[in-house]
Amino acid sequence: HFDDIQELKEWHAALVDFHRPALHREKLEDAVEKHIIRARAVTTLKAKISNTEKALIEVESAYSDPYIDKKAVDHYKQAINQFLTDVQVNDYAEKARKHEFKGHYDKAADAYLDALFHIKNDAVPDELQAEQILEIERMANDLRKRANEKG
């Protein structure tokens, strides 16, 4: 009878070891998802950034977890950094559209240039944002031309 209990304990331990990486990955995913959902739900830029940074902290802590694949952690980190950049660039773009609507073309171009500065100095490689960079440069240049034509 003792052998059966010992075998059951060993089988249980092996089963737990087998599932441990998936459990750790799911825990990370749940924590990150919670913060990203909050970041999407809040309205202020500061709150969006704060919640996204909390998700990044969760991901950074996963590098020390021996049960989580580091390539998966890299993938999460890149996706969250891209989300953070998108949040910030969208804020600059909204400011630019408001300035353009008011006829303040120089200020609108400056807002797009602020977005461009942010993109070129963020944690996401520029080659992954090449289309976005070109589009923002085009918009800023078009607005500068409109400002010069306006006088």
Side-chain angles (χ1 to χ4, degrees), residues 10 38 40 54 107 149:
E10 290 172 4
R38 284 184 189 156
R40 287 186 173 134
K54 289 175 184 176
K107 289 180 180 181
E149 290 170 0

Side-chain angles (χ1 to χ4, degrees), residues 27-40:
K27 182 180 175 188
L28 171 64
E29 289 170 354
D30 289 347
V32 168
E33 183 179 17
K34 174 183 78 173
H35 294 301
I36 296 301
I37 287 171
R38 284 184 189 156
R40 287 186 173 134

Side-chain angles (χ1 to χ4, degrees), residues 19 24 49 78 80 98 108 110 114 117 121 134:
H19 289 288
H24 282 239
I49 291 171
Q78 182 176 340
I80 294 168
K98 286 179 181 178
D110 286 344
D114 288 340
F117 175 83
N121 291 286
L134 289 174

